[in-house]
Amino acid sequence: MNDALKTAYQNLKETTPLTHCLTNTVVQPLTANVLLAAGAAPAMVEMPEEAAVLASVANAVLINLGTINHPQVEGIRAAAAAAQESGTPWVMDPVAIGALPVRTALAKELLANKPTAVRGNASEIMALAGGEGGRGVDSTNSVDDATAVARELAREHGCVVAVSGPVDYITDGKRAITCANGDELLTLITGAGCSLGALVAAYCGANEDKLVATATAHAVVGVAAQMAAARCEGPGSFQVHWLDALSQVDGDVLAKEAKVEWVEQ
Amino acid sequence: MNDALKTAYQNLKETTPLTHCLTNTVVQPLTANVLLAAGAAPAMVEMPEEAAVLASVANAVLINLGTINHPQVEGIRAAAAAAQESGTPWVMDPVAIGALPVRTALAKELLANKPTAVRGNASEIMALAGGEGGRGVDSTNSVDDATAVARELAREHGCVVAVSGPVDYITDGKRAITCANGDELLTLITGAGCSLGALVAAYCGANEDKLVATATAHAVVGVAAQMAAARCEGPGSFQVHWLDALSQVDGDVLAKEAKVEWVEQ
Amino acid sequence: MNDALKTAYQNLKETTPLTHCLTNTVVQPLTANVLLAAGAAPAMVEMPEEAAVLASVANAVLINLGTINHPQVEGIRAAAAAAQESGTPWVMDPVAIGALPVRTALAKELLANKPTAVRGNASEIMALAGGEGGRGVDSTNSVDDATAVARELAREHGCVVAVSGPVDYITDGKRAITCANGDELLTLITGAGCSLGALVAAYCGANEDKLVATATAHAVVGVAAQMAAARCEGPGSFQVHWLDALSQVDGDVLAKEAKVEWVEQ
């Protein structure tokens, strides 16, 4: 397995995938810095007329629903449609759906544009299948609660579904992978999960096997978090060391440190 | 007094108040990170249809006028109305009012929704009562210039009014507290005052005595700033250490280091 | 030459220019922190009714097209018109023009409002004269490719044109300066170029000679980057040290470390 991660990493480094992010304003700076540190090229364009153009030529698109407003929703629709039409891999991060009405309906609507992958916490993934959602951006369900739903969503929509948590569960409906890397400090900075979604897009843009690509993004984020946790004194310095570590995690580090396994469906 | 701060701190830690922020885009990342480091749970939702829903179920709401635009103003109005109706404590931060026309009128309009607290610098608080405002986001008045106006505003609107500065002045119209913690480096990073406003909301969401809650937020920010100033080499590392320190300031540190006093009205 | 930089630096420190930025949401926090660290006073206001007011009284205005949307475009037009009318120096940063249609037309339209300076990478400057643009926010041309176009643009529009790259080229059509300071790590964090644009505005707001002002901003950013690169372990700590260094670069450091030269047109 870890050889596959190493190859996926090398594919990203050789491609420097142009990753077009329509994401929430809270996490835009961190997301761009995570992509740069990890070897991708971020671009953030939201005006519908321009978002469609960029989504057609980018290597990957991320759509994150965290701070949607009416103008952005039009940009998101345009980018998702353009990505589908042009065959650009695209990832949906359905932030805080369930409790909030507009984004819940929008996330379900966007499934029609055939996302390559969907990444969320357990409550968000369950809400995509009709559940109630979590508390704000926090999950009120465990990853285990969501695995069956994730498999069904993946089969129904032909996409990868990633449930992030202490042990991540990633499935394409036929195969499944768990990733046990990471550190609790990731929950004490804003935007770690959202940045992971962007990195999933970047890896999908650089790799054919979208399940392995998604798992690699999770492993990179988690291994770097472990390195940062060992060096930091709190959430402020954790974020700094995490960005440093993201630029230091290469294929060899990944092959050695990743706790990624194939699991029975 | 410092025992009261310690209790207010413990109430926040036990509640992890869901703090709904409608704030300016410049400071969103820092605000979310400050709330997380200090023990609260941030969420940022602005679309009117969703902002009203979240403001009704959140523990506290912050409304900060720093980068208003037409769509956001509708979200702000919806959130303030929903907070008032549902009894959610909410805080207004009237950034740069006085010189700029739209936000000045909006801040005065929002007083009708009965904010729990208003936090600003001296020029902003004076502008709320008809003064001219400062220079951009900087105050051109001293805290002392604004104490009488703050008391009157607090009495007229039944809210806490906090005037932030080298020595903060916080009043509910009947009682008043000063806080002498802090460091000048807070003025060399963007968003320190705005993040303080969010922390005032979080503390108000976790405590009955809103005056003490507001003072505790000021003390936490100021004590952490002093710890960071002793460790840093400039504004970049100050921000990093400040976030670390915000996660380290607990009730005992606060009881020992806070320079908070009751003062005559 | 370096004495001129020292004087330009001192003029900024004595003025603390109020620098009104209409910029993209990805880089707002870093831009504000760069301005603060370097001695300027940032303010970010975009609603058209307010942007025109602030642009009239500010010392300088930055207009950066990175994440334009329909409401922001109106704010940008209002601010550019108000800056022109009131004589406030203003800088345009035409991010990612060429490939993206709306911003390309907007950048050309805004030239009618007589910018004081235009700053971009080589592909962006060439796109302003009709070229195709780069890949996302990255230049696909070298600085040398753009020098002739930069001179022509400067002559035609009576402004300074700065082409940023490993060796920056800065011209007002009659005179030209190169700046060889900087570090490649600037390309591994988001917003370094955009923050430089804001600092160009601040220096133009504090100095009569706009060509020297623009060169000084480039030198300050580059010298601070070299100091940070010597101390950091990756892009996360580079950004922290860079902000610290920006507050440490003074006239003497600049006079000693700047690699700035007059060159033949």
Side-chain angles (χ1 to χ4, degrees):
Chain A
M1 180 73 217
N2 286 16
D3 279 351
L5 301 185
K6 188 172 172 175
T7 302
Y9 168 82
Q10 286 163 343
N11 288 341
L12 178 122
K13 288 297 279 188
E14 283 163 18
T15 322
T16 316
L18 179 59
T19 307
H20 176 196
C21 302
L22 297 100
T23 191
N24 74 75
T25 48
V26 186
V27 306
Q28 281 183 333
L30 183 64
T31 299
N33 281 323
V34 164
L35 288 171
L36 286 165
M44 299 190 178
V45 169
E46 303 206 341
M47 203 180 226
E49 303 89 321
E50 296 196 331
V53 173
L54 187 57
S56 300
V57 300
N59 297 106
V61 174
L62 167 73
I63 292 178
N64 171 305
L65 307 182
T67 55
I68 50 166
N69 54 40
H70 289 286
Q72 195 203 27
V73 166
E74 294 317 306
I76 284 174
R77 285 189 173 122
Q84 181 183 17
E85 201 177 334
S86 61
T88 307
W90 77 277
V91 173
M92 176 164 73
D93 193 334
V95 180
I97 67 165
L100 297 172
V102 180
R103 66 188 65 200
T104 306
L106 179 61
K108 291 175 182 175
E109 172 197 326
L110 291 170
L111 288 172
N113 294 111
K114 295 280 172 198
T116 308
V118 175
R119 189 217 72 88
N121 65 38
S123 291
E124 289 159 353
I125 297 301
M126 293 170 77
L128 201 56
E132 288 182 1
R135 176 179 183 260
V137 296
D138 298 326
S139 186
T140 51
N141 296 98
S142 73
V143 172
D144 283 347
D145 294 340
T147 53
V149 164
R151 271 195 305 272
E152 273 180 60
L153 277 172
R155 284 174 190 157
E156 188 179 344
H157 299 284
C159 64
V160 171
V161 175
V163 188
S164 303
V167 178
D168 312 307
Y169 178 83
I170 303 154
T171 178
D172 64 3
K174 294 173 222 140
R175 301 172 295 161
I177 295 173
T178 56
C179 175
N181 294 103
D183 189 278
E184 209 181 340
L185 275 160
L186 287 169
T187 66
L188 284 187
I189 63 170
T190 195
C194 297
S195 299
L196 169 56
L199 207 54
V200 169
Y203 270 96
C204 285
N207 286 281
E208 281 306 305
D209 187 330
K210 308 307 184 190
L211 182 69
V212 170
T214 303
T216 306
H218 282 73
V220 167
V221 160
V223 168
Q226 291 167 216
M227 292 163 64
R231 301 171 188 166
C232 78
E233 295 168 29
S237 49
F238 173 76
Q239 180 173 315
V240 173
H241 287 299
W242 186 51
L243 287 168
D244 283 355
L246 281 166
S247 75
Q248 293 157 357
V249 172
D250 60 15
D252 291 331
V253 174
L254 209 52
K256 192 174 163 210
E257 302 293 342
K259 298 177 190 163
V260 173
E261 290 180 5
W262 292 106
V263 290
E264 294 288 317
Q265 273 288 48
Chain B
M1 181 70 216
N2 285 15
D3 279 351
L5 301 185
K6 189 173 173 176
T7 302
Y9 168 81
Q10 286 162 344
N11 287 341
L12 178 123
K13 287 298 278 188
E14 284 162 19
T15 321
T16 316
L18 179 60
T19 307
H20 176 195
C21 302
L22 297 100
T23 191
N24 74 74
T25 49
V26 187
V27 306
Q28 282 184 331
L30 183 65
T31 299
N33 281 324
V34 164
L35 288 171
L36 286 166
M44 299 192 178
V45 169
E46 303 205 340
M47 203 181 227
E49 304 90 317
E50 296 197 332
V53 174
L54 187 58
S56 300
V57 300
N59 296 107
V61 174
L62 167 74
I63 292 177
N64 171 305
L65 308 182
T67 55
I68 49 167
N69 54 38
H70 288 287
Q72 196 203 26
V73 166
E74 293 317 307
I76 284 173
R77 285 188 172 124
Q84 180 183 18
E85 202 177 333
S86 60
T88 306
W90 77 276
V91 173
M92 178 164 73
D93 193 334
V95 179
I97 66 166
L100 297 172
V102 181
R103 64 189 66 202
T104 306
L106 179 61
K108 291 175 182 175
E109 172 198 326
L110 290 170
L111 288 172
N113 293 110
K114 296 279 172 198
T116 308
V118 176
R119 188 217 73 85
N121 64 37
S123 291
E124 289 160 352
I125 297 300
M126 292 170 77
L128 202 55
E132 287 183 2
R135 177 178 182 259
V137 298
D138 298 327
S139 186
T140 48
N141 297 97
S142 73
V143 173
D144 283 347
D145 294 340
T147 54
V149 165
R151 271 195 305 272
E152 273 180 59
L153 276 172
R155 284 174 190 156
E156 186 178 345
H157 299 285
C159 64
V160 172
V161 175
V163 188
S164 303
V167 177
D168 312 306
Y169 178 83
I170 304 155
T171 178
D172 64 4
K174 292 173 223 139
R175 300 171 296 161
I177 295 174
T178 57
C179 174
N181 294 102
D183 190 276
E184 208 181 342
L185 275 160
L186 286 170
T187 66
L188 284 187
I189 63 170
T190 194
C194 297
S195 299
L196 169 57
L199 207 54
V200 169
Y203 270 97
C204 285
N207 286 282
E208 281 307 305
D209 187 330
K210 308 308 185 190
L211 181 70
V212 169
T214 302
T216 307
H218 282 72
V220 166
V221 160
V223 168
Q226 290 167 217
M227 292 163 65
R231 300 171 187 166
C232 78
E233 295 168 29
S237 49
F238 173 76
Q239 180 173 314
V240 174
H241 287 300
W242 186 50
L243 286 169
D244 283 355
L246 282 166
S247 74
Q248 294 158 358
V249 172
D250 60 15
D252 290 332
V253 173
L254 209 53
K256 192 174 163 211
E257 301 294 343
K259 298 177 190 162
V260 174
E261 290 180 5
W262 292 105
V263 289
E264 295 288 318
Q265 273 287 52
Chain C
M1 180 72 217
N2 287 14
D3 279 351
L5 301 184
K6 188 172 173 176
T7 303
Y9 168 82
Q10 285 162 343
N11 288 341
L12 178 122
K13 288 297 278 188
E14 283 162 18
T15 321
T16 316
L18 179 60
T19 307
H20 176 196
C21 302
L22 297 100
T23 190
N24 73 76
T25 49
V26 187
V27 307
Q28 282 183 331
L30 183 64
T31 300
N33 281 323
V34 164
L35 288 171
L36 286 165
M44 298 191 179
V45 169
E46 303 206 341
M47 203 180 226
E49 303 91 318
E50 297 196 331
V53 173
L54 188 58
S56 301
V57 300
N59 297 106
V61 174
L62 167 74
I63 292 178
N64 171 305
L65 307 182
T67 56
I68 49 166
N69 54 39
H70 288 288
Q72 197 203 26
V73 167
E74 294 318 306
I76 283 173
R77 286 190 172 121
Q84 181 183 17
E85 201 176 335
S86 59
T88 307
W90 77 275
V91 173
M92 177 163 73
D93 191 335
V95 179
I97 67 165
L100 298 171
V102 181
R103 66 189 64 201
T104 306
L106 180 61
K108 291 175 182 175
E109 172 197 326
L110 290 170
L111 288 172
N113 293 111
K114 296 276 171 202
T116 308
V118 175
R119 187 216 74 85
N121 63 39
S123 292
E124 290 159 351
I125 297 302
M126 292 170 77
L128 201 56
E132 288 182 1
R135 177 179 182 259
V137 297
D138 297 327
S139 186
T140 50
N141 297 96
S142 73
V143 172
D144 282 347
D145 294 340
T147 53
V149 165
R151 273 195 303 272
E152 273 180 60
L153 276 172
R155 285 174 189 156
E156 186 179 345
H157 299 284
C159 63
V160 172
V161 176
V163 188
S164 303
V167 177
D168 312 307
Y169 178 82
I170 304 154
T171 177
D172 63 3
K174 291 173 226 141
R175 301 171 295 161
I177 296 174
T178 57
C179 174
N181 295 102
D183 190 278
E184 209 181 341
L185 276 160
L186 287 169
T187 67
L188 284 186
I189 63 170
T190 194
C194 297
S195 299
L196 168 57
L199 208 53
V200 169
Y203 271 96
C204 285
N207 285 281
E208 280 308 305
D209 187 329
K210 308 307 185 190
L211 182 69
V212 169
T214 302
T216 306
H218 282 73
V220 166
V221 159
V223 168
Q226 291 168 216
M227 292 164 65
R231 300 169 188 168
C232 78
E233 295 169 29
S237 49
F238 173 75
Q239 180 173 315
V240 173
H241 288 299
W242 186 49
L243 286 168
D244 283 356
L246 282 165
S247 74
Q248 294 157 358
V249 172
D250 60 16
D252 290 331
V253 173
L254 209 53
K256 191 174 163 210
E257 302 293 343
K259 298 176 190 163
V260 174
E261 289 180 6
W262 291 107
V263 289
E264 295 288 317
Q265 274 288 51

